[in-house]
Amino acid sequence: MKAAARELGYKKNQAAVELVKKQSNVIAAVVSSVKTNFAGQIIDGIQSEASKHGYNLIVVYSNSASAEEQRKALLTVIERPVMGILLLSIALSDDNLKMLKESDIPYCFLSMGFDDDRPFVSSDDMEIGYEATKFLIDKGHRKIGLAAIDKYPYTGRLRLAGYSKALNEANIVPDNSWIQSGDYSYTAGESAMKAYGKDTDLTGIVAASDMAAIGALNEARNLGLRVPDDLSIISIDGTEMCQIVQPQLTSVSQDFYKMGVVGVQRIEESVVNKTASKDHQQLIPVHIYERDSTK
Amino acid sequence: MKAAARELGYKKNQAAVELVKKQSNVIAAVVSSVKTNFAGQIIDGIQSEASKHGYNLIVVYSNSASAEEQRKALLTVIERPVMGILLLSIALSDDNLKMLKESDIPYCFLSMGFDDDRPFVSSDDMEIGYEATKFLIDKGHRKIGLAAIDKYPYTGRLRLAGYSKALNEANIVPDNSWIQSGDYSYTAGESAMKAYGKDTDLTGIVAASDMAAIGALNEARNLGLRVPDDLSIISIDGTEMCQIVQPQLTSVSQDFYKMGVVGVQRIEESVVNKTASKDHQQLIPVHIYERDSTK
DNA sequence: CTGAAAGCGCTAACAG
DNA sequence: CTGTTAGCGCTTTCAG
């Protein structure tokens, strides 16, 4: 009979199954719709690990900026029985975070760290700032800018701290003008480079993201500055963008794929342990790839 | 009491609601996990139109290549009561298409056209091939290559036909070597350019996608060819990639955002009309943006 | 081992 | 207008 039913194109109604079983095998990912070109790599990692365990993945997009959009996206997944929620580079408003916590669904933030005790998997942003800056220092640079970084949220603050630490260790005192804050975007990279100007003292720049690095690179070219001969640029993220641009960008690369994998493992742990899995904050190592934008 | 419940963090169980209502307000998008950098634009369009109508969007990723992966992704959405399914640049296997049809859930393919009668929204690929080629001809080019295009599936075949038509109208007889087939990727663009070689007769190239165009552009540079002075390149797609690369790429731009919007409207029609909405195949106009890679 | 019955959380229909 | 009841499609339990 089952076989016959299957022949006739019978499909299980998972809504009914989940209703009675009170559990589901789907993991939900909430992604900020901001143009993050690394989200795909994280999703690949999630997908791969999820499928290894027989889980299904659904993703919903949410505009990071609007709390109302966030709320709708969150409700879409909370109001149906998902086994866990992964949040990709999204900073929840207080209300929405509260709602998430109260849902009793295991969750984990990905690619973003936080001050409080919520679970997350991300790179060590302090290390990123430090390694990028130190790389340039080791190449002999002394005047090094930090471009397009958001100074206040957790991520940017840590990267700035790492940058300052590396400079400090080398007895370099940064000028205020060396740090050009921004929102990690192409335009922010462009603006930072414009602010430094054609006659800048800087010989090296740490860019907050690949897109910011490309913005800075293109603007440098407009200004008549040659990369890497006049100016070295090191990028943070290490997506494919680094390799399609000329010159190819040296980068501090984050392992986004692994973040996805580990995120799924976190969810699984929370499910089997029935615990909220607090204070699970895991840092994924980064790696520097030297390409052609530094010397 | 409702208010009190809400205070206490009560959340509706949508699984139960949908079970009894036998309808849902979620639209599902199935996306090929192949690195299509325009999927984001389509999803933005879907999201915006869906939210206008109070629908929620969930997306599932599926590797276009594997029928089994496709099947899992499709089942994830078919087995729960979604109101409609949008398929983004994904070519379903026969079995999976059959399963989709039998599910009786309204569906529509996006950014890909087909020979048969299934509903889709895409650009007119014949027009794309024709306009791109004609643009170069009007600039005075006579020897024009077609790079990284997949010759057999519907999309590539139509673009090739458009290319041939434009050439034919100008009484140009293409040499076989002008057409370098590929899979729309960066590497395919690179390989095509390598095949043309440093001493090519070609003065213009139509690239199958933005990534292919960038591959060709970078390889041309390696070969010592200057773009656009020695070689003009026109790209197909028109994503942001065209503007971050140097020189910026002239492109035949597709309106991906609109495809998403129209796709949601198709689903809505099917739902209110209770009809399968067959033979609804809609073409979205394209537009040429002249930038710096052609002359 | 097979078959009937209970019930998951909700809405719709109906009765009071 | 509020309160009760049936039942959506399944799994699980319990009886036969």
Side-chain angles (χ1 to χ4, degrees), chain A residues 5-289:
Chain A
R6 191 159 276 264
E7 287 306 306
L8 275 120
Y10 166 80
K11 290 290 161 313
K12 232 179 206 157
N13 183 331
Q14 286 292 352
V17 174
E18 286 166 358
L19 182 58
V20 40
K21 285 205 180 179
K22 285 159 157 265
Q23 53 156 284
S24 112
N25 70 331
V26 353
I27 290 185
V30 182
V31 182
S32 119
S33 65
V34 174
K35 295 287 177 288
T36 44
N37 49 327
F38 54 76
Q41 293 179 53
I42 304 185
I43 291 175
D44 279 352
I46 297 175
Q47 185 80 277
S48 149
E49 184 70 11
S51 122
K52 196 176 295 177
H53 295 270
Y55 308 145
N56 287 123
L57 172 69
I58 67 178
V59 359
V60 311
Y61 287 85
S62 154
N63 189 323
S64 191
S66 147
E68 187 48 31
E69 281 283 319
Q70 278 185 0
R71 188 186 145 80
K72 274 168 58 183
L74 261 187
L75 275 179
T76 304
V77 300
I78 289 182
E79 288 189 343
R80 59 201 74 226
V82 299
M83 64 175 289
I85 300 177
L86 261 15
L87 300 106
L88 273 65
S89 51
I90 202 166
L92 248 34
S93 76
D94 290 345
D95 277 0
N96 289 329
L97 178 59
K98 185 156 167 281
M99 185 170 79
L100 176 62
K101 279 181 175 160
E102 284 170 352
S103 76
D104 279 323
I105 300 174
Y107 64 90
C108 183
F109 286 80
L110 260 33
S111 99
M112 242 188 181
F114 296 93
D115 277 310
D116 51 36
D117 65 351
R118 68 183 104 170
F120 67 76
V121 179
S122 80
S123 300
D124 182 338
D125 284 297
M126 165 81 104
E127 184 193 3
I128 287 180
Y130 179 80
E131 294 294 340
T133 312
K134 184 140 195 316
F135 178 88
L136 257 18
I137 292 172
D138 289 346
K139 289 269 176 191
H141 296 273
R142 303 281 300 170
K143 303 195 171 181
I144 298 169
L146 183 63
I149 211 121
D150 199 353
K151 283 196 281 190
Y152 301 109
Y154 194 70
T155 301
R157 205 169 64 232
L158 284 186
R159 293 185 185 175
L160 174 58
Y163 162 85
S164 301
K165 183 180 165 210
L167 251 32
N168 191 48
E169 284 181 7
N171 295 312
I172 302 169
V173 181
D175 188 270
N176 267 341
S177 70
W178 293 7
I179 299 162
Q180 292 292 331
S181 57
D183 63 358
Y184 302 90
S185 67
Y186 179 89
T187 333
E190 239 177 12
S191 307
M193 192 64 231
K194 278 199 182 99
Y196 294 140
K198 179 177 170 43
D199 304 314
T200 180
D201 288 342
L202 265 28
T203 63
I205 291 178
V206 177
S209 73
D210 290 340
M211 288 311 278
I214 298 174
L217 177 68
N218 284 343
E219 184 58 27
R221 188 173 348 226
N222 289 343
L223 259 25
L225 261 22
R226 288 164 309 156
V227 175
D229 297 301
D230 300 325
L231 186 69
S232 285
I233 298 180
I234 183 169
S235 175
I236 294 172
D237 278 351
T239 65
E240 327 78 60
M241 294 291 96
C242 292
Q243 294 172 72
I244 68 161
V245 120
Q246 293 278 343
Q248 296 193 356
L249 290 165
T250 295
S251 66
V252 182
S253 296
Q254 304 192 56
D255 196 341
F256 295 111
Y257 185 92
K258 180 153 190 196
M259 287 181 203
V261 171
V262 173
V264 172
Q265 291 167 350
R266 282 274 158 289
I267 296 296
E268 178 158 54
E269 281 169 27
S270 306
V271 170
V272 304
N273 298 345
K274 298 278 181 196
T275 76
S277 164
K278 290 255 169 174
D279 66 37
H280 249 126
Q281 305 191 332
Q282 185 164 341
L283 265 20
I284 306 289
V286 296
H287 192 278
I288 292 191
Y289 289 90

Side-chain angles (χ1 to χ4, degrees), chain A residues 14 59 61 79 218 244, chain B residues 14 59 61 79-80 218 244:
Chain A
Q14 286 292 352
V59 359
Y61 287 85
E79 288 189 343
N218 284 343
I244 68 161
Chain B
Q14 285 293 351
V59 359
Y61 287 85
E79 290 190 342
R80 58 201 76 228
N218 285 343
I244 68 162

